[in-house]
Amino acid sequence: MSLLNSGWRTLSYHQKRLVRDLLKYQGVRNMSKMREEAYIDGQWVSAKSGKTFPVLNPANGKVIANVPDMNETDAELAVDAAHKAFQTWRNTTAKERSVLLRKWFNLMEENQESLSRLLTAEAGKPLAESRGELMYGSSFLEWFAEEAKRINGEVVCSPARSREMIFIRQPAGVASLITPWNFPNAMITRKAGAALAAGCTCIIKPAEDTPLSAIAMVDLAEQAGIPPGVVNVVTSSRGNTPAIGRVLSTHNKISVLSFTGSTPVGRLLYENCARGIKRVGLELGGNAPFIVFNAADLKTTLEAFMVAKFRNAGQTCISGSRFLIQSGVYDEFVGMIKDAMETRLVVGDGMDNGVNFGPLINQSQLNKVDGLVKASIAAGAECLLGGKPHELGGLFYEPTILTNCAETTPCFEEEIFGPVVGIRKFETEEEALQIANSCDVGLAGYIFTQDVSQAWRVARQLETGMIGINEGLISAAEAAFGGVKQSGIGREGSRHGIEEYSEIKYLCFGGIN
Ligand code: NAP
């Protein structure tokens, strides 16, 4: 562990606390050996090439660990291991899988604080948010431990007296799970919980920026007794990712690919999967409309705004992105959000007390956000607040408001994935819907109005997979999460989340006298 190697006395208070927590999480099994390895076939392994890559703390740029920089050779070994394990895991009972998932959930709960600190260290999100993600992430294991027992088949009415017709559900096979950096814990449990419950085995490929949460969680899966090969983790730097992605989307032993990330990468993986006719689940980018009508309760709307916009500094796929505010409440509501952003957002290292707004994840993300802000201003948007990198330096960006946005303003056209509030004033419901639906993605949307008929009318017509109505926090293990248009295919969470990982087999019993 690089923190240990660098000398205890040179470490800051927070670094020492992180190391203590990591050791606690490890059960203090071995003071000199921290998990900086990938996990294949029940073994903690290095890359076959011996290469590693550094994991950085986005709050200060320091290296917090070095993990294996794997390539296609390692990915193929993981696929073989998962395929071998599938031959026995597929025959476990739902009850057996449920018990193991519940044990994994219990260990996640027991280690919640350490995992939260690890998450803040690698992803930069404020500690309170990391704790929230841990609860959210663990809840998928609990949910799917329960759902595992309800993967029922069907008996249907046969058209012939001599036949009975039955559908049984079976696990689809080996699943590739490719996850992003913005929810390093929950995006894994949302997929792996469902896959394991259904009887699939899996290979997890976490993002370059956040492999440590994945490694830590799989360590707990091993402690829970999940057999070798059932869950595997392949870590890689961005340079090796496309080669690993090819293996995970084209290998003939892979049956399902579940991907969360950007639409361009999702499109590429979908094309790869088409060749092998693999099942796909895609949770892709959004560009959420956040519509505030004259009939909104502005106090409720403000609270929903703060949570929907500033979780993870705006780096959330369901973050409000395009703010449409009706003319009757425009001045008042824009004043309220500016005031709240100036007084309530505390920018800094997510490990520090009171901080509720951390850094962006990496330099390219900061460049993208800043580029979109500059291009939007050049295209006619007016900067009411922020608009540049934060004076703290590094990867911190100012909470920003851009008004006078049009459909063609860059921050409206493209998902900004940062702490930028692009605003457009509108007059009529029809106009709001026309603007909201004028894009090729449709993940989440938000509607604020106390007029129930208006809420229903707009909800029916808004082209998104999920809608918060007078609510900014819509995620839950019980919810069917997913998008329409180019925001993806399939649903995660809820009872539908398992459908991605199971196949229906039709049995026809004939010759009944
Ligand atoms: P990304 O670049 O698509 O990366 C996501 C994951 O895909 C990472 O693990 C990444 O690995 C991997 N990846 C990148 N190129 C690949 C390739 N050619 N083959 C296989 N895997 C590849 O997305 P991001 O920038 O990290 O995340 C932001 C995007 O994710 C946003 O658009 C956001 O809306 C979306 N998102 C959607 C949801 C949802 O549920 N719908 C949730 C969260 C985020 P490396 O890190 O090693 O490149």
Side-chain angles (χ1 to χ4, degrees):
M1 172 79 182
S2 50
L3 281 179
L4 290 176
N5 297 342
S6 64
W8 186 255
R9 265 177 301 174
T10 63
L11 301 184
S12 71
Y13 168 77
H14 289 308
Q15 286 172 323
K16 283 179 181 162
R17 179 120 192 233
L18 172 64
V19 172
R20 282 198 201 100
D21 277 337
L22 286 167
L23 291 170
K24 192 172 129 209
Y25 139 70
Q26 296 277 337
V28 199
R29 285 193 301 233
N30 185 342
M31 278 289 290
S32 63
K33 185 168 179 290
M34 300 296 299
R35 286 278 176 243
E36 291 176 281
E37 294 155 310
Y39 186 66
I40 297 176
D41 205 9
Q43 303 294 316
W44 291 97
V45 293
S46 305
K48 283 287 170 207
S49 68
K51 290 186 180 157
T52 62
F53 68 95
V55 183
L56 309 179
N57 180 339
N60 55 28
K62 291 194 177 148
V63 175
I64 50 176
N66 289 285
V67 301
D69 194 0
M70 297 186 135
N71 60 26
E72 59 268 47
T73 307
D74 304 283
E76 279 169 12
L77 289 173
V79 174
D80 286 341
H83 191 257
K84 187 180 77 188
F86 179 63
Q87 308 317 317
T88 43
W89 184 249
R90 68 191 301 178
N91 294 323
T92 52
T93 65
K95 170 87 174 166
E96 286 164 342
R97 297 195 295 274
S98 171
V99 166
L100 288 174
L101 280 168
R102 169 55 75 164
K103 282 189 184 157
W104 191 8
F105 163 73
N106 289 342
L107 284 167
M108 294 267 287
E109 291 273 286
E110 279 168 32
N111 292 277
Q112 193 185 99
E113 186 59 18
S114 314
L115 291 170
S116 301
R117 288 179 175 277
L118 182 62
L119 206 161
T120 290
E122 68 174 346
K125 62 174 71 177
L127 192 52
E129 274 189 39
S130 295
R131 290 178 181 135
E133 179 174 343
L134 253 292
M135 281 167 62
Y136 175 53
S138 306
S139 74
F140 286 105
L141 298 182
E142 182 184 40
W143 173 260
F144 286 117
E146 292 158 358
E147 284 299 297
K149 293 180 277 187
R150 299 186 196 110
I151 307 175
N152 299 322
E154 284 173 54
V155 181
V156 295
C157 296
S158 165
R161 242 186 291 279
S162 62
R163 290 201 294 262
E164 285 290 351
M165 300 164 71
I166 297 168
F167 308 156
I168 60 169
R169 282 201 163 268
Q170 293 193 308
V174 179
S176 299
L177 313 179
I178 304 180
T179 56
W181 45 262
N182 64 343
F183 284 88
N185 181 297
M187 294 304 101
I188 290 176
T189 52
R190 196 161 80 176
K191 296 180 191 302
L196 265 56
C200 294
T201 56
C202 66
I203 301 119
I204 300 165
K205 164 31 203 127
E208 177 194 89
D209 296 297
T210 56
L212 299 178
S213 292
I215 293 170
M217 288 155 66
V218 167
D219 192 339
L220 296 179
E222 182 187 40
Q223 290 180 39
I226 292 176
V230 171
V231 181
N232 305 273
V233 177
V234 173
T235 53
S236 75
S237 70
R238 218 147 263 147
N240 280 343
T241 293
I244 290 179
R246 257 193 308 282
V247 173
L248 295 185
S249 55
T250 59
H251 200 295
N252 61 8
K253 290 180 181 168
I254 297 287
S255 300
V256 186
L257 177 127
S258 178
F259 170 77
T260 297
S262 61
T263 298
V265 174
R267 190 176 294 122
L268 175 89
L269 294 171
Y270 194 16
E271 282 169 11
N272 287 352
C273 286
R275 280 184 237 143
I277 319 288
K278 299 186 192 304
R279 294 171 78 94
V280 288
L282 302 172
E283 299 284 348
L284 309 178
N287 195 356
F290 187 104
I291 311 176
V292 185
F293 289 102
N294 288 342
D297 173 325
L298 294 189
K299 269 196 187 158
T300 310
T301 310
L302 179 68
E303 297 314 311
F305 164 80
M306 293 301 283
V307 68
K309 182 65 225 179
F310 292 108
R311 256 192 326 150
N312 203 14
Q315 302 169 112
T316 305
C317 55
I318 55 171
S319 228
S321 268
R322 295 173 295 149
F323 291 82
L324 308 175
I325 305 175
Q326 201 161 14
S327 54
V329 291
Y330 183 87
D331 290 341
E332 186 182 355
F333 191 64
V334 172
M336 285 168 74
I337 63 177
K338 179 167 181 283
D339 182 55
M341 286 167 67
E342 284 173 327
T343 57
R344 286 167 54 176
L345 295 177
V346 182
V347 185
D349 184 334
M351 215 67 98
D352 291 340
N353 272 343
V355 165
N356 59 13
F357 185 104
L360 301 185
I361 188 71
N362 55 35
Q363 191 62 45
S364 77
Q365 184 65 14
L366 185 131
N367 295 346
K368 185 190 153 202
V369 170
D370 196 40
L372 279 173
V373 167
K374 289 200 166 76
S376 300
I377 293 170
E382 287 164 25
C383 186
L384 188 64
L385 187 70
K388 57 184 189 309
H390 197 277
E391 62 187 15
L392 284 176
L395 299 175
F396 293 96
Y397 201 83
E398 291 181 341
T400 294
I401 301 178
L402 301 177
T403 58
N404 202 30
C405 294
E407 281 136 279
T408 52
T409 304
C411 71
F412 256 44
E413 274 199 318
E414 195 175 329
E415 178 190 29
I416 194 144
F417 226 59
V420 179
V421 182
I423 303 180
R424 158 92 182 244
K425 190 194 281 189
F426 71 90
E427 297 295 336
T428 65
E429 191 178 296
E430 293 69 30
E431 185 191 356
L433 272 167
Q434 183 271 319
I435 300 167
N437 289 338
S438 67
C439 71
D440 54 15
V441 291
L443 190 60
Y446 300 88
I447 302 166
F448 295 87
T449 177
Q450 294 298 306
D451 176 341
V452 176
S453 291
Q454 180 171 55
W456 270 110
R457 267 197 315 273
V458 177
R460 281 177 183 160
Q461 293 178 75
L462 201 57
E463 295 168 1
T464 62
M466 298 170 282
I467 301 179
I469 301 167
N470 298 320
E471 179 58 59
L473 199 57
I474 60 174
S475 302
E478 293 79 359
F481 194 104
V484 298
K485 296 165 132 179
Q486 293 186 32
S487 284
I489 296 172
R491 293 294 177 268
E492 291 192 328
S494 77
R495 68 184 176 83
H496 301 287
I498 285 184
E499 285 163 17
E500 313 278 346
Y501 301 95
S502 66
E503 301 271 15
I504 291 175
K505 186 178 275 179
Y506 162 46
L507 310 179
C508 183
F509 278 71
I512 302 170
N513 298 322

